[in-house]
Amino acid sequence: MKDNLIKTVLYPGSFDPVTNGHLDLIERACRLFDRVIVGVAVNIDKNPLFTTEERIALLENCCSELPNARVVSFNGLLVDALTRFQANAVLRGLRAFSDFEYELQMALMNRSLKEECETIFMMPTPQNSFVSSRMAKEVARFNGDFAQYVPTPVVAAIKNKIKAGLL
Ligand code: PNS
């Protein structure tokens, strides 16, 4: 048997914070692959609401029932993280057609940086197809019912940020 068959995927993202859509994808991936490494990007351009440690802690809490999921952080290029964590492929979620252009560009850029870097796309359930961290935070900021878009531990964490005047 070939030893480069996909066993471990790296699912990278900002996860600021993890949403039901992210969790949906992680759960699906955990059923398909031996190991799912959720990689929290440290050096994101956006000004994150949650620190890297908070984003990791929330993900760890949400993934506690998934024995083959592991949460890590990474700095620098994704292709280097792929090597560091011995992952065979990158996993990304594709929600809508609008995601496609950015995702295609990123997948091709990563492949041009590292020839063997393959990206696998998975779709969340339609109920989660429009959910994003950015929109969940915006709904929360304007007092809307954001709890339906994020896992339970994240609801409390966002409420704390609102109380602290950070959102
Ligand atoms: O959740 P996001 O914000 O869509 O995730 C984007 C992320 C973090 C996966 C992407 O920006 C990334 O891979 N950053 C690491 C730096 C890198 O490798 N850039 C070159 C490829 S585009």
Side-chain angles (χ1 to χ4, degrees):
M1 192 150 101
K2 285 186 177 180
D3 61 6
N4 61 348
L5 290 178
I6 295 170
K7 298 186 179 84
T8 305
V9 285
L10 175 60
Y11 178 38
S14 309
F15 302 107
D16 184 42
V18 54
T19 65
N20 288 343
H22 294 130
L23 206 54
D24 179 339
L25 220 74
I26 296 168
E27 284 167 357
R28 281 169 202 281
C30 281
R31 293 198 288 268
L32 279 183
F33 304 104
D34 291 341
R35 280 178 299 275
V36 177
I37 300 175
V38 183
V40 177
V42 175
N43 53 341
I44 48 176
D45 291 339
K46 316 160 196 172
N47 191 10
L49 174 64
F50 292 94
T51 64
T52 307
E53 292 71 28
E54 287 170 332
R55 287 182 277 146
I56 290 176
L58 286 171
L59 271 161
E60 278 175 343
N61 194 345
C62 296
C63 296
S64 59
E65 310 272 286
L66 299 167
N68 53 338
R70 178 182 156 209
V71 184
V72 301
S73 65
F74 75 97
N75 232 319
L77 288 178
L78 177 60
V79 288
D80 293 333
L82 200 69
T83 311
R84 200 172 326 127
F85 296 111
Q86 297 179 313
N88 309 87
V90 172
L91 172 72
R92 289 287 288 175
L94 210 49
R95 291 167 301 187
F97 195 66
S98 50
D99 279 344
F100 184 76
E101 204 173 320
Y102 170 61
E103 294 298 335
L104 175 74
Q105 201 180 2
M106 194 155 80
L108 294 181
M109 171 66 81
N110 285 329
R111 195 195 273 161
S112 115
L113 289 168
K114 185 181 160 105
E115 204 186 336
E116 60 276 28
C117 178
E118 297 293 351
T119 303
I120 297 168
F121 294 101
M122 289 178 73
M123 287 79 174
T125 182
Q127 294 97 286
N128 288 328
S129 286
F130 58 92
V131 176
S132 70
S133 304
R134 188 179 62 79
M135 284 195 183
K137 285 183 287 189
E138 193 164 307
V139 172
R141 178 150 61 102
F142 295 118
N143 242 332
D145 176 17
F146 70 95
Q148 54 188 314
Y149 310 122
V150 292
T152 311
V154 178
V155 176
I158 289 183
K159 283 183 181 166
N160 285 339
K161 293 285 179 189
I162 295 173
K163 257 189 226 149
L166 295 170
L167 182 67

